[in-house]
Amino acid sequence: LKFVGKQFNKNSKKSEKEQGLEVNKAKAAIQKGNMDGARIYAQNAIRKKNESLNYLKLSARMDAVATRLDTAIKMQMVTKTMGMMVKGMDKILTNMDPEAISRLMEKFETQFESLDVNAETMDNAIGSTIATTAPEDEVNSLLNQIADENGLTMKSDLNSKVLNAPAPVLNKKEEVDKETADLEARLAKLSMK
């Protein structure tokens, strides 16, 4: 369709050129005093002008149709993709068991708590090992030396407070219990429906 539209556009330009030729012929006929010939050339020029406009209209219509078809094809592809996604979601939703999901989440939380305890134990062990292998005074003096060499200022009070401060202990058990209670309440609401 785009090719046909371009062809109509090309014919429109050709008709415009022929119109210009007919106008020039009419002008020459008037100069010679041939009024009948000038009238015929003028009629031909008007016909070529109308022909050019009609070709231009057809070109525009073909372009519009091609654009609409292109849009329709793209929309069809999007619709097909959305349909596939909905089917996939339906499969997942039919296989979703709220109780199984709840058990899985509880197991995940238990494993996460165990991982958190293990990570905290390792952090404490590594922290005490690092503290014994490199005395804090030497570390601070090296940091001050590096800062002085590079034109940086050290906030030694802040750094020593941060280095000496114990790691904050969060009460994970209370947070987990609250989240579990919230999940159980949501599950109970879903079960009632």
Side-chain angles (χ1 to χ4, degrees):
L1 289 176
K2 288 183 179 182
F3 176 73
V4 172
K6 287 180 182 179
Q7 194 171 7
F8 281 137
N9 201 9
K10 186 177 178 181
N11 288 342
S12 172
K13 289 178 182 176
K14 181 181 175 186
S15 294
E16 278 182 33
K17 287 180 184 177
E18 290 175 357
Q19 175 198 356
L21 291 174
E22 293 295 326
V23 168
N24 287 339
K25 287 179 185 177
K27 180 179 164 184
I30 290 173
Q31 287 173 348
K32 291 181 182 176
N34 183 1
M35 295 310 280
D36 289 334
R39 183 176 301 275
I40 293 171
Y41 291 132
Q43 289 172 352
N44 287 344
I46 290 171
R47 188 171 39 81
K48 289 295 179 182
K49 178 183 176 185
N50 290 335
E51 190 177 289
S52 172
L53 290 175
N54 287 336
Y55 280 134
L56 196 58
K57 286 177 188 175
L58 287 172
S59 173
R61 287 180 185 164
M62 286 297 168
D63 190 43
V65 168
T67 303
R68 286 182 186 154
L69 284 175
D70 189 43
T71 302
I73 290 169
K74 287 179 183 175
M75 287 302 296
Q76 185 179 17
M77 289 171 51
V78 167
T79 304
K80 187 176 183 180
T81 304
M82 287 175 62
M84 289 170 42
M85 289 174 61
V86 168
K87 286 179 186 176
M89 288 172 63
D90 283 342
K91 282 183 183 179
I92 291 171
L93 288 175
T94 57
N95 292 336
M96 287 182 81
D97 180 15
E99 291 176 8
I101 292 171
S102 176
R103 285 192 302 269
L104 182 66
M105 290 303 294
E106 287 175 11
K107 186 175 181 180
F108 174 77
E109 288 173 8
T110 305
Q111 290 177 349
F112 189 75
E113 287 175 11
S114 299
L115 182 64
D116 194 34
V117 169
N118 291 339
E120 186 177 341
T121 305
M122 286 183 66
D123 286 343
N124 290 338
I126 292 171
S128 64
T129 304
I130 291 174
T132 57
T133 58
E136 190 175 331
D137 293 338
E138 289 179 26
V139 172
N140 286 339
S141 108
L142 179 61
L143 288 174
N144 285 328
Q145 180 184 351
I146 293 170
D148 290 340
E149 289 173 2
N150 294 306
L152 302 172
T153 57
M154 288 291 293
K155 297 178 182 174
S156 59
D157 294 336
L158 180 62
N159 286 339
S160 64
K161 288 179 185 174
V162 170
L163 290 173
N164 293 330
V169 178
L170 300 175
N171 194 352
K172 299 275 185 200
K173 182 70 175 151
E174 289 178 9
E175 290 178 23
V176 170
D177 289 341
K178 184 177 186 253
E179 289 178 22
T180 303
D182 290 342
L183 286 173
E184 288 175 356
R186 289 174 57 196
L187 180 61
K189 286 181 184 176
L190 288 172
S191 298
M192 289 180 178
K193 292 181 181 181

